[in-house]
Amino acid sequence: MAVQDQFKRPLRDLRLSVIDQCNFRCHYCMPAHIFNENYTFLQKEELLTDDELVRLSVLFSRLGVEKIRITGGEPLLRKGLPSLIERIGEKTRIEDIAVTTNGVFLPKLAQDLRGAGVQRVNISLDAIEDDVFRYMNGKGVGISPVLKGINAAREAGLYVKINMVVQKGVNDNQILPMARYFKRLGVTLRFIEYMDVGSTNGWDMRDVMTKKDILTELQSEFSLIPVKEAYFGEVAKRYKYSDKTGEVGFISSVSDTFCGSCTRARVSASGQLYTCLFASKGTDLREKLRSGKSDEELFEYISSVWEMRDDRYSEDRANLKDKREPIEMSYIGG
Ligand code: SAM
Ligand code: SF4
Ligand code: SF4
């Protein structure tokens, strides 16, 4: 049975960040004025090695994890990612290994990822209009490389969902064009509320387009029907188009919190374990991995961290009780 935390939430999902670097500088995640040439990214020896990532995955699967999501920074920048994923799949027997990516390197890697056992990829795309997207990614890259990545993933047989973070006054004019585009393709589009993660993006509640705002906009053009939760802890609130051309989802972590069913642990590229996306402090697993601890000792240690877990930041934020300095999104990968 999966280990449970203070609120009886089991440990079911693991997000593994495999690198802290990225080819984009999205303003809400890695603003270019901070993540510039003076910024110190992790050195190679500070990153968890493939062997360490495989070992941790096995331990987490013994603790109850059934799904692993590989993230970053930009995970496809990590050398040898497909073989790492293949090893994780073989050793843990976890079938549900997914990747979250900005999509740019998928034309090169989609086939290998599929061959390594990946079935699903979430591709982030915040706009379908070139100019808006060029601004959003902070690198002036147009949408074409991402659209090529989406095509490559679909051709390789990967199940694709698109993630769009919506910021008021920045890309909210893209909600309808994005919905039209991906409805035509039959690809699920998920709208993510802009969150107050990290301390570099200058978050302000007034910049958030809530699920309600976005849904109202969509309903001005489309007829949408709510879909029932498929399993305990499903994060996205889903709606299907009434003409059966697919669905959209909402990750409403600001306006409609889901801490009560949060079964997710996150491990940063440097091996810090976070039991909440908004945690300001992690637990150092790298030091434990490198200090000759046995698998049993590590198992007990991670188990005790989860058992102590009492995080519910989003709910506390709603009550204005909790004001902390959370870690950066690019460090733990969403
Ligand atoms: N680089 C990959 C990508 O962009 O898909 C993986 C890492 S990225 C940190 C994971 C997801 O977090 C992306 O979909 C991104 O849009 C989202 N994200 C980053 N900062 C965010 C914020 N402040 N609020 C909401 N979502 C955010
Ligand atoms: Fe990079 Fe993803 Fe963050 Fe954008 S959201 S800066 S693509 S890690
Ligand atoms: Fe989970 Fe923390 Fe997000 Fe709540 S705020 S849903 S506990 S990650």
Side-chain angles (χ1 to χ4, degrees):
M1 205 181 91
V3 58
Q4 293 191 342
D5 71 6
Q6 297 283 306
F7 299 124
K8 297 210 174 328
R9 295 171 297 188
L11 172 53
R12 290 262 185 254
D13 314 82
L14 175 64
R15 292 204 168 201
L16 276 183
S17 168
V18 293
I19 192 163
D20 60 335
Q21 303 203 28
C22 186
N23 52 317
F24 279 176
R25 289 291 179 273
C26 306
H27 298 270
Y28 55 71
C29 177
M30 293 178 81
H33 66 281
I34 290 170
F35 293 85
N36 56 23
E37 61 283 2
N38 298 321
Y39 185 85
T40 316
F41 288 99
L42 293 169
Q43 300 297 301
K44 188 159 186 285
E45 60 279 9
E46 292 175 296
L47 290 173
L48 291 186
T49 63
D50 284 9
D51 286 350
E52 288 167 340
L53 286 164
V54 173
R55 190 172 171 210
L56 277 185
S57 302
V58 171
L59 290 166
F60 274 96
S61 75
R62 282 180 53 202
L63 284 158
V65 162
E66 293 167 350
K67 282 188 198 172
I68 297 185
R69 177 164 294 281
I70 307 289
T71 178
E74 174 45 47
L76 303 195
L77 285 175
R78 182 168 173 125
K79 288 212 173 60
L81 184 69
S83 63
L84 167 64
I85 292 177
E86 191 166 9
R87 285 181 61 196
I88 292 176
E90 276 167 12
K91 291 278 183 201
T92 60
R93 302 193 171 272
I94 290 177
E95 284 176 13
D96 196 351
I97 303 180
V99 175
T100 301
T101 169
N102 61 38
V104 171
F105 304 108
L106 279 172
K108 208 170 83 192
L109 284 165
Q111 289 284 356
D112 290 350
L113 289 171
R114 184 72 192 94
V118 176
Q119 293 181 16
R120 302 184 295 128
V121 284
N122 286 355
I123 302 176
S124 305
L125 180 65
D126 297 327
I128 200 72
E129 222 172 275
D130 252 336
D131 286 349
V132 184
F133 188 60
R134 280 184 208 286
Y135 170 78
M136 294 294 292
N137 63 57
K139 281 281 192 183
V141 177
I143 58 164
S144 162
V146 183
L147 296 184
K148 285 187 183 142
I150 294 170
N151 266 341
R154 298 178 80 209
E155 274 169 24
L158 291 162
Y159 179 65
V160 173
K161 282 186 202 150
I162 306 297
N163 283 346
M164 170 184 181
V165 175
V166 192
Q167 281 181 291
K168 203 176 272 178
V170 182
N171 65 335
D172 52 343
N173 64 353
Q174 296 296 296
I175 294 171
L176 287 172
M178 284 282 286
R180 282 179 209 124
Y181 187 90
F182 288 105
K183 181 175 187 288
R184 222 174 18 245
L185 278 191
V187 169
T188 298
L189 171 61
R190 302 192 318 168
F191 299 96
I192 304 180
E193 290 180 352
Y194 171 43
M195 288 184 284
D196 50 337
V197 277
S199 46
T200 55
N201 64 9
W203 185 86
D204 189 315
M205 184 63 208
R206 284 168 298 192
D207 301 330
V208 179
M209 283 289 286
T210 63
K211 173 194 165 204
K212 189 162 168 267
D213 299 332
I214 300 168
L215 190 57
T216 306
E217 178 121 6
L218 289 171
Q219 283 169 331
S220 69
E221 185 166 327
F222 305 108
S223 164
L224 288 160
I225 306 163
V227 179
K228 258 180 63 190
E229 190 183 64
Y231 54 89
F232 176 77
E234 185 175 38
V235 172
K237 304 274 184 315
R238 297 183 295 130
Y239 287 72
K240 59 182 181 191
Y241 291 108
S242 63
D243 62 4
K244 299 195 169 67
T245 48
E247 62 179 58
V248 291
F250 298 88
I251 317 276
S252 41
S253 32
V254 178
S255 70
D256 184 9
T257 58
F258 39 81
C259 298
S261 59
C262 179
T263 55
R264 193 158 303 138
R266 297 171 159 88
V267 175
S268 75
S270 62
Q272 295 283 319
L273 165 64
Y274 294 94
T275 54
C276 177
L277 179 54
F278 298 91
S280 43
K281 230 172 70 249
T283 302
D284 190 354
L285 296 182
R286 187 182 64 196
E287 183 268 325
K288 293 271 182 277
L289 284 162
R290 295 184 184 174
S291 61
K293 296 265 181 291
S294 68
D295 281 352
E296 278 331 295
E297 286 169 310
L298 278 168
F299 179 91
E300 288 305 326
Y301 183 66
I302 301 171
S303 179
S304 68
V305 173
W306 190 264
E307 278 164 1
M308 301 270 286
R309 175 186 193 240
D310 61 358
D311 305 282
R312 46 179 185 191
Y313 173 82
S314 288
E315 281 171 11
D316 289 344
R317 177 225 287 122
N319 303 327
L320 295 175
K321 274 197 293 201
D322 198 334
K323 293 224 178 302
R324 35 178 125 155
E325 276 224 339
I327 22 118
E328 297 303 325
M329 192 72 141
S330 56
Y331 198 57
I332 48 168

